[in-house]
């Protein structure tokens, strides 16, 4: 039962979903003259930033020419379902810019300024195209006021609606992986451009407004309450979330907090406050198991928020969103550890290109196997591996390293992706294998990595040429023996 349930979860998740960067040169004064080169930071001409960051699967995502440092999001939600919003984006130019793009779709833009000055902009599909001259290396603030009734969007990567969703109890929640951050705030919408975030969520008093990170203030006004949240560790825009629910409670879990040494708080509708599944109390134990395998937990808190009207779970940074059906399911504990594992694989170490999604899903699915091993021993781990190998064979999963762009979260990415790690563990042994994982999470913490980067770490730590193994498991059509 344990085994078939565990398989059921990944199949549920899978079926349902059937750079730039860097600082530029140092500051100096750039004159308006471009004919004579004065002591400018860059002698390059002023040109618009690229409309995409260079993702081969989703070329429109992200933008070039600047690096976002911080998003300060202010959202006022009214009971009629409308949202009045403002975002201040602090960024630095990485080239001499004559203009730049933000990714943004839907909504009404009411006002747009850069460093306080009105600037010209136009909307072109999913791009907000801004004309403004900014010398390389200069810091600037873009302030966008916008509003309307939030609309979900169709993801290019999965056949479901993503973005700002509304549940049966009018709960509002954001699930944005991989391409829907820009459907609820203007963003450089690609994991290559991480930034810190602050959120002010204003709701009619009685509702609870939640976002990533730490709750820093609850301020009551006449009929509204503002919840302020702060995410101080860099975050990919797709992992940002806001959730609004009626009468929900922010519940501390002192036992898990004590066990894991990381503050654990969950955000729950009232019936779950007294009657949560037993595995929710195992958050601390799960974090400990994963810290042993992956290295220190990468953020300063964790918890889940549970919403209706959503069939999946998503690992939003420090605050995974769970559909109620997932929490009520008998296999909840496996989804729970899966989303916790994503805090290392996906959130702290993010993909540099979406085609490498197995680096998220394969590793998170592998954590389910580690949980089986923790609870029932290595024999049970072996049985579980055999079951999943069989499932992968029956399904005829192709290579996990290149899923179709319109089926990014296919079963191979999850199941065969996890089996890649099983094969690597068998090949190089436990000590070297877990040292490889810990070296990788440490080296790429708060950054991005590629499949090539992971292979390089495995070869470095093991001192072996692992080309054959990775070729066969990641790129070969047939599932290796
Ligand atoms: N990354 C999620 C997981 O934990 C699933 C992503 C697919 N669903 C979505 N709404 N983007 O497996
Ligand atoms: Zn996952």
């Amino acid at each position: 039962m344990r085994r078939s349930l565990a398989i059921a979860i990944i199949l549920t998740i899978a079926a349902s979903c059937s750079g730039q960067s860097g600082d530029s040169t140092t500051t100096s004064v750039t004159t308006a003259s471009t004919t004579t080169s004065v002591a400018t930071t860059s002698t390059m001409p002023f040109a618009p930033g690229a409309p995409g960051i260079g993702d081969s699967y989703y070329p429109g995502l992200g933008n070039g020419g600047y690096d976002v440092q911080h998003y300060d999001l202010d959202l006022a939600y009214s009971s009629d379902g409308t949202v009045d919003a403002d975002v201040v984006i602090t960024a630095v130019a990485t080239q001499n810019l004559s203009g730049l793009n933000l990714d943004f779709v839907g909504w009404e833009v009411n006002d747009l300024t850069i460093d306080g000055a009105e600037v010209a902009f136009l909307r072109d599909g999913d791009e907000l195209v801004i004309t403004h001259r900014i010398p390389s290396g200069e810091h600037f603030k873009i302030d966008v006021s916008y509003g309307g009734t939030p609309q979900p969007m169709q993801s290019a990567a999965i056949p479901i609606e993503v973005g700002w969703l509304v549940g049966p109890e009018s709960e509002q929640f954001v699930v944005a992986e991989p391409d829907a951050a820009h459907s609820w705030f203007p963003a450089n919408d690609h994991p290559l451009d991480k930034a810190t975030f602050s959120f002010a969520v204003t709701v009619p008093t009685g509702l609870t407004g939640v976002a990533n990170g730490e709750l820093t203030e609850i301020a009551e006004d006449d009929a509204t309450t503002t919840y302020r949240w702060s995410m101080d560790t860099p975050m990919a825009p797709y992992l940002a979330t806001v959730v609004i629910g009626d009468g929900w409670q922010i519940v501390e879990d002192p036992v898990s907090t004590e066990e894991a040494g990381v503050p654990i708080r969950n955000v729950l509708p009232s019936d779950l406050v007294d009657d949560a599944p037993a595995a929710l109390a195992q958050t601390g134990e799960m974090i400990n198991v994963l810290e042993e395998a992956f290295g220190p937990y990468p953020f300063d808190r964790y918890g889940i928020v549970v919403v209706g009207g959503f069939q999946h779970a998503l690992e939003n940074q420090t605050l995974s969103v769970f559909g109620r059906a997932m929490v009520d399911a008998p296999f909840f504990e496996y989804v729970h550890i899966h989303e916790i594992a994503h805090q290392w694989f996906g959130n702290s170490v993010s993909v540099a290109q979406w085609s490498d999604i197995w680096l998220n899903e394969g590793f998170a699915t592998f954590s389910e196997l580690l949980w089986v091993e923790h609870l029932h021993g290595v024999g049970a781990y072996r049985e579980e591996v055999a079951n999943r190998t069989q499932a992968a064979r029956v399904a005829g999963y192709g290579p996990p390293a290149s899923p179709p762009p319109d089926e990014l979260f296919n079963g191979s990415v999850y199941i065969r992706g996890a089996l890649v790690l099983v094969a690597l563990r068998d090949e190089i042994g436990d000590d070297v294998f877990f040292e490889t994982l810990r070296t990788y999470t440490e080296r790429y913490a708060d950054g991005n990595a590629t499949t090539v980067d992971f292979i390089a770490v495995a070869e470095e730590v093991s001192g072996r040429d692992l080309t054959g193994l990775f070729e066969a498991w990641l790129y070969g059509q047939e599932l290796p023996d």
Side-chain angles (χ1 to χ4, degrees):
M1 157 128 141
R2 160 175 47 79
R3 299 191 298 263
S4 50
L5 286 177
I7 286 187
I9 114 186
I10 12 174
L11 294 180
T12 308
I13 297 174
S16 59
C17 324
S18 70
Q20 151 264 28
S21 93
D23 299 325
S24 133
T25 42
T26 44
T27 17
S28 73
V29 182
T30 307
T31 71
S33 165
T34 47
T35 44
T36 44
S37 57
V38 209
T40 56
T41 54
S42 161
T43 51
M44 297 295 287
F46 282 72
I53 209 165
D55 193 280
S56 63
Y57 273 29
Y58 314 113
L61 287 182
N63 304 284
Y66 64 95
D67 186 12
V68 177
Q69 321 281 296
H70 186 77
Y71 293 91
D72 185 5
L73 264 162
D74 204 322
L75 300 148
Y77 169 78
S78 302
S79 40
D80 65 1
T82 59
V83 174
D84 205 11
D86 184 85
V87 63
V88 178
I89 301 170
T90 307
V92 57
T94 56
Q95 68 171 70
N96 281 335
L97 290 167
S98 61
L100 60 90
N101 282 20
L102 289 166
D103 302 307
F104 194 44
V105 67
W107 305 85
E108 193 74 41
V109 173
N110 303 318
D111 192 44
L112 198 160
T113 62
I114 294 186
D115 295 330
E118 300 279 340
V119 295
F121 68 92
L122 56 88
R123 313 279 307 262
D124 180 12
D126 285 20
E127 301 288 331
L128 182 58
V129 184
I130 302 170
T131 303
H132 192 64
R133 190 181 164 87
I134 309 167
S136 183
E138 196 159 295
H139 289 256
F140 58 98
K141 283 186 196 300
I142 313 176
D143 187 341
V144 187
S145 295
Y146 61 100
T149 303
Q151 304 292 331
M153 65 174 253
Q154 182 60 57
S155 172
I158 7 167
I160 60 171
E161 287 199 319
V162 284
W164 188 299
L165 305 174
V166 181
E169 311 279 330
S170 295
E171 61 267 60
Q172 316 281 311
F173 58 100
V174 169
V175 287
E177 190 185 25
D179 54 351
H182 70 278
S183 74
W184 71 286
F185 64 99
N188 195 18
D189 191 1
H190 195 278
L192 277 175
D193 194 357
K194 297 188 182 191
T196 53
F197 280 71
S198 45
F199 305 86
V201 187
T202 301
V203 295
T205 295
L207 274 56
T208 307
V210 180
N212 313 76
E214 183 189 0
L215 176 62
T216 57
E217 188 190 29
I218 303 176
E220 285 200 38
D221 211 337
D222 288 345
T224 64
T225 305
T226 298
Y227 293 80
R228 292 185 186 277
W229 298 83
S230 178
M231 181 69 242
D232 299 333
T233 313
M235 174 163 75
Y238 81 91
L239 295 167
T241 195
V242 158
V243 185
I244 298 168
D246 193 353
W248 288 5
Q249 292 181 42
I250 301 167
V251 188
E252 311 287 335
D253 177 347
V255 175
S256 282
T257 298
E258 172 73 28
E259 265 184 340
V262 173
I264 306 300
R265 43 89 186 100
N266 300 302
V267 184
L268 305 171
S270 49
D271 73 302
L272 272 181
V273 173
D274 301 318
D275 193 17
L280 189 56
Q282 288 177 298
T283 307
E285 186 179 345
M286 289 178 178
I287 288 179
N288 284 341
V289 167
L290 297 185
E291 283 195 318
E292 181 92 14
F294 303 155
Y297 179 76
F299 303 111
D300 58 7
R301 65 202 63 245
Y302 187 70
I304 73 167
V305 52
V306 182
V307 302
F310 180 53
Q311 305 308 317
H312 318 282
L314 186 70
E315 64 268 21
N316 292 328
Q317 193 156 306
T318 71
L319 186 70
S320 297
V321 173
F322 275 72
R324 180 61 191 252
M326 279 287 182
V327 175
D328 291 341
F331 49 79
F332 166 66
E333 67 183 301
Y334 293 99
V335 191
H336 190 29
I337 197 159
H338 178 113
E339 306 309 335
I340 296 172
H342 273 308
Q343 304 300 314
W344 284 263
F345 300 105
N347 300 7
S348 176
V349 182
S350 302
V351 293
Q353 51 199 29
W354 282 111
S355 57
D356 278 338
I357 189 67
W358 84 276
L359 292 173
N360 294 8
E361 299 306 344
F363 288 60
T365 304
F366 179 73
S367 77
E368 300 164 26
L369 298 168
L370 293 179
W371 186 242
V372 171
E373 184 173 332
H374 170 74
L375 293 177
H376 308 289
V378 72
Y381 166 88
R382 281 276 151 227
E383 278 179 56
E384 186 62 36
V385 167
N387 276 300
R388 294 190 184 200
T389 307
Q390 181 59 18
R393 258 186 232 299
V394 169
Y397 288 142
S402 53
D406 60 352
E407 267 178 66
L408 193 68
F409 298 90
N410 71 13
S412 175
V413 156
Y414 286 76
I415 299 180
R416 193 166 153 178
L419 293 176
V420 175
L421 297 174
V422 171
L424 179 64
R425 182 182 182 183
D426 285 348
E427 183 68 27
I428 62 182
D430 276 15
D431 289 354
V432 177
F433 173 74
F434 289 110
E435 189 56 32
T436 295
L437 296 188
R438 290 189 295 263
T439 304
Y440 173 74
T441 57
E442 190 187 355
R443 185 169 301 172
Y444 295 103
D446 298 331
N448 304 85
T450 63
T451 298
V452 170
D453 294 328
F454 178 69
I455 295 172
V457 171
E459 294 195 326
E460 176 190 316
V461 175
S462 67
R464 293 183 43 190
D465 177 357
L466 298 164
T467 320
L469 181 143
F470 284 113
E471 273 295 325
W473 279 96
L474 284 174
Y475 303 104
Q477 191 57 43
E478 294 295 314
L479 193 74
D481 284 331

